[in-house]
Each structure stands twice: as structure tokens, then as C-alpha cells.
């Protein structure tokens, strides 16, 4: 591996954990494709926070508007992330958001936020 190549070990673990969770709740045959779509949208403006509602809804932090957006996803991709999330899951500030939600009810929490559930 060259020095400029990123270490893919952490990302492989995250994708594997996410795919396993999706396979348990939705479709084992589509888990890899769904994982690719979810992690592909996890960049730049949007940060994947986790999955809720039996892994039917993905929650992302929108850095442009500084609030949470909810999106459905399927084998064709992730729904439009630019639309507003339902009012009940929008909060001012990411720390405030995590203070207000019950992470125990989430199906999957991105490892970068799992410490918040402890």
C-alpha cells in the first residue's frame, strides 16, 4: 500500500456493520447496495448519523442548514437529502439534537456517534 492510500480498514468495518444491520431489518440480498448508497451520501454537506424505523429511514446531519434531514433509501439510492426533515426531528445544533433524541430507539448509530448512546 502506498503512503498516499487511505487506510480502508475502519471504513470496511463500518460498511460491514451497516450492511449486517440492514440485512437483519430489510433485505439481505440488497444490503450491500443499500450500504453503498448510504455511505456514498455521507460526504461533504451530509454526515450519516444513523438509521431508524426498522432501517427504513436514514438520518443525516446537513452542515449547510445545520439540522437533521431524514431520507428514505432503496436500491435506486437515497431520497432527496435537500428537503426539510419533519419538524419533530429538527433541532438547532447537532449537540442539542443528540441531547433530545433517544438513541436506544435507533436501529443503527454511526460509530462516530455511538459514544453518545453510552
Amino acid at each position: 500500500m502506498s503512503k498516499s492510500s487511505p487506510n480502508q480498514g475502519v471504513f470496511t468495518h463500518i460498511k460491514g456493520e451497516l450492511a449486517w444491520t440492514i440485512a437483519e431489518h430489510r433485505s439481505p440480498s440488497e444490503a450491500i447496495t443499500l450500504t453503498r448508497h448510504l455511505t456514498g451520501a455521507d460526504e461533504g454537506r451530509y454526515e450519516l448519523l444513523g438509521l431508524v424505523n426498522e432501517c427504513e429511514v436514514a438520518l443525516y446531519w446537513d452542515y449547510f442548514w445545520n439540522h437533521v434531514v431524514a431520507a428514505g433509501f432503496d436500491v435506486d439510492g437515497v431520497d432527496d437529502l435537500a428537503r426539510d426533515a419533519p419538524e419533530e426531528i429538527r433541532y438547532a445544533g447537532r449537540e442539542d439534537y443528540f441531547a433530545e433524541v433517544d438513541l436506544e430507539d435507533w436501529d443503527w448509530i454511526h460509530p462516530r456517534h455511538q459514544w453518545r448512546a453510552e
Side-chain angles (χ1 to χ4, degrees):
M1 179 179 351
S2 74
K3 290 185 179 192
S4 63
S5 297
N7 180 347
Q8 298 295 319
V10 172
F11 298 110
T12 301
H13 169 74
I14 292 168
K15 289 178 182 178
E17 182 183 300
L18 179 55
W20 186 267
T21 302
I22 292 170
E24 289 179 325
H25 286 88
R26 288 180 64 165
S27 169
S29 63
E30 297 174 349
I32 299 299
T33 300
L34 297 176
T35 297
R36 283 188 188 129
H37 291 312
L38 292 167
T39 58
D42 181 31
E43 62 183 10
R45 177 177 170 178
Y46 300 103
E47 176 184 313
L48 179 60
L49 302 176
L51 303 179
V52 296
N53 297 351
E54 300 296 316
C55 292
E56 293 290 330
V57 176
L59 300 177
Y60 287 85
W61 183 257
D62 181 340
Y63 281 102
F64 183 78
W65 292 108
N66 288 318
H67 68 225
V68 173
V69 291
F73 58 98
D74 59 23
V75 294
D76 295 324
V78 177
D79 290 346
D80 184 13
L81 287 169
R83 73 171 196 247
D84 285 338
E87 193 63 35
E88 65 269 14
I89 65 167
R90 285 184 55 200
Y91 298 92
R94 189 169 58 175
E95 299 307 315
D96 293 337
Y97 173 76
F98 277 111
E100 295 288 329
V101 298
D102 184 2
L103 295 174
E104 296 296 320
D105 291 338
W106 290 29
D107 302 310
W108 182 81
I109 303 168
H110 196 289
R112 67 180 154 232
H113 297 291
Q114 287 177 352
W115 63 273
R116 297 174 190 272
E118 297 173 356

